[in-house]
Amino acid sequence: MTLSILKKGNPILIEGAKIIVENPKSDEIKRLISDMKETMEKNDGVGLAANQVGQQFRLFVLGYEKIFKVFINPKIKKYSSGQVEVEEGCLSVPGIFGIVKRPEKVLIEALNENGNKVEYWAEGLEARIIQHEIDHLNGILFVDRAKNLFTFEQK
Ligand code: ZN
């Protein structure tokens, strides 16, 4: 089922997601992940956090090219010292883009959709999405970090 995405100004985006997922394999969480995947793909997004669809569980999904991943109760354990500036946008802030400086690599720890612990250094686009989505779970939008915001009219 496609869910509606909350837009900037909705308090749930600022409150963040406070609920630790106790059972990653519960029907409720499985359904939420499936709906979030569908919603992200339908909106041509590369990442989606649970509180963007009004759920306050600490989880997000990520997808681009042939990759699809689920991060449950995610934590960034270390950041690289190297930082990069990349243009970002967000499904909750449609039509607005901006340059955000972030660490190039992050050591991510999370549970995957099978409930198994994963921990590895993510880099490139994946590291960028992970940081953007964890910001969502913590109530932060990319426009809070961006410089040179600009609008782009979508056809
Ligand atoms: Zn976003």
Side-chain angles (χ1 to χ4, degrees):
M1 188 175 76
T2 307
L3 307 170
S4 54
I5 297 176
L6 305 184
K7 300 298 190 297
K8 186 175 186 292
N10 189 302
I12 293 176
L13 291 175
I14 298 163
E15 286 163 19
K18 296 185 171 66
I19 306 172
I20 303 290
V21 178
E22 299 288 346
N23 182 1
K25 294 166 85 175
S26 68
D27 289 344
E28 183 184 22
I29 296 299
K30 279 187 186 165
R31 163 66 65 85
L32 176 60
I33 289 167
S34 163
D35 289 347
M36 285 172 62
K37 180 176 194 278
E38 188 179 317
T39 303
M40 176 180 70
E41 288 171 352
K42 186 157 187 184
N43 289 280
D44 294 323
V46 292
L48 189 66
N51 57 320
Q52 288 182 276
V53 294
Q55 295 286 328
Q56 292 187 301
F57 292 110
R58 293 194 67 84
L59 75 88
F60 68 90
V61 298
L62 156 170
Y64 52 93
E65 294 163 8
K66 295 273 194 282
I67 296 166
F68 174 73
K69 290 184 182 179
V70 179
F71 296 81
I72 297 169
N73 303 335
K75 272 191 207 102
I76 293 174
K77 301 184 78 179
K78 284 182 187 167
Y79 296 88
S80 65
S81 54
Q83 299 204 329
V84 281
E85 291 190 330
V86 177
E87 186 185 310
E88 292 187 22
C90 180
L91 296 175
S92 293
V93 196
I96 310 277
F97 299 86
I99 305 295
V100 184
K101 189 175 191 179
R102 298 186 190 271
E104 194 174 7
K105 300 177 187 178
V106 292
L107 180 60
I108 178 74
E109 179 193 293
L111 301 178
N112 64 17
E113 58 192 311
N114 299 315
N116 296 323
K117 186 179 155 183
V118 293
E119 180 179 333
Y120 61 95
W121 279 95
E123 55 184 82
L125 179 59
E126 185 178 24
R128 176 66 44 167
I129 298 168
I130 285 170
Q131 293 176 78
H132 179 114
E133 301 309 328
I134 289 180
D135 271 355
H136 273 301
L137 298 179
N138 294 332
I140 298 166
L141 294 173
F142 87 96
V143 291
D144 301 332
R145 296 192 185 277
K147 58 177 186 180
N148 307 329
L149 285 171
F150 58 95
T151 56
F152 179 76
E153 293 296 325
Q154 284 171 319
K155 287 178 188 165

